[in-house]
Amino acid sequence: MDVSRQHLKYIGESLFLVANLTLAGYFVMRIWDVDLWVAMLSSMGFVLVVDIATAFLWRWVVTKHKNMLPSFFTGVSGFRFLGALILLLIGYFIVGRESMLTFICVFFVYYMLSIVHHSIFFSRMSKRV
């Protein structure tokens, strides 16, 4: 298995997922006349940073420390969750109390689809490693 190509494939799939979610959010904003830009940009940035970091770290772990993969996946899950909580706290101060429900709903969609993508991709990869 070519690890370099696989980690780039993961990044590409993450970019595709985020682009489609952002496009769907744009259409929602146009149809229902709501402002979701702050929530979408924050969520998009969070997912891209976490997924790109995960891809590079996964490549390093697979090439250098293959026996540490279970710890790696546990660490990524914990880091992603902690990062999400921090982002929601920061979002509370940015958008205010009134818009927080909208922010959480938008972030939840990005976060959950990112976790689903992560789980499917790496379950396939762990069978090959």
Side-chain angles (χ1 to χ4, degrees), residues 37-93:
W37 282 117
V38 172
M40 284 191 333
L41 291 175
S42 301
S43 303
M44 178 175 54
F46 175 80
V47 168
L48 288 177
V49 166
V50 170
D51 283 356
I52 290 171
T54 299
F56 282 103
L57 283 171
W58 175 77
R59 182 183 70 176
W60 180 75
V61 169
V62 166
T63 57
K64 305 268 189 214
H65 307 283
K66 195 179 287 192
N67 60 334
M68 298 297 288
L69 275 174
S71 298
F72 166 75
F73 292 126
T74 304
V76 166
S77 297
F79 175 76
R80 183 186 307 259
F81 183 71
L82 182 62
L85 290 177
I86 291 169
L87 181 72
L88 290 174
L89 179 65
I90 293 169
Y92 177 78
F93 293 117

Side-chain angles (χ1 to χ4, degrees), residues 10 13-14 17 50-51 54 58 72-74 76-77 80 110-127:
Y10 179 74
E13 289 176 1
S14 293
L17 175 70
V50 170
D51 283 356
T54 299
W58 175 77
F72 166 75
F73 292 126
T74 304
V76 166
S77 297
R80 183 186 307 259
Y110 278 85
Y111 183 80
M112 291 308 294
L113 289 177
S114 171
I115 288 177
V116 168
H117 171 246
H118 174 88
S119 300
I120 291 171
F121 184 87
F122 286 114
S123 68
R124 288 184 305 189
M125 289 299 108
S126 61
K127 291 177 186 174

Side-chain angles (χ1 to χ4, degrees), residues 25-45:
Y26 176 75
F27 287 131
V28 166
M29 287 192 309
R30 299 287 290 174
I31 292 170
W32 285 293
D33 194 34
V34 292
D35 182 23
L36 303 175
W37 282 117
V38 172
M40 284 191 333
L41 291 175
S42 301
S43 303
M44 178 175 54

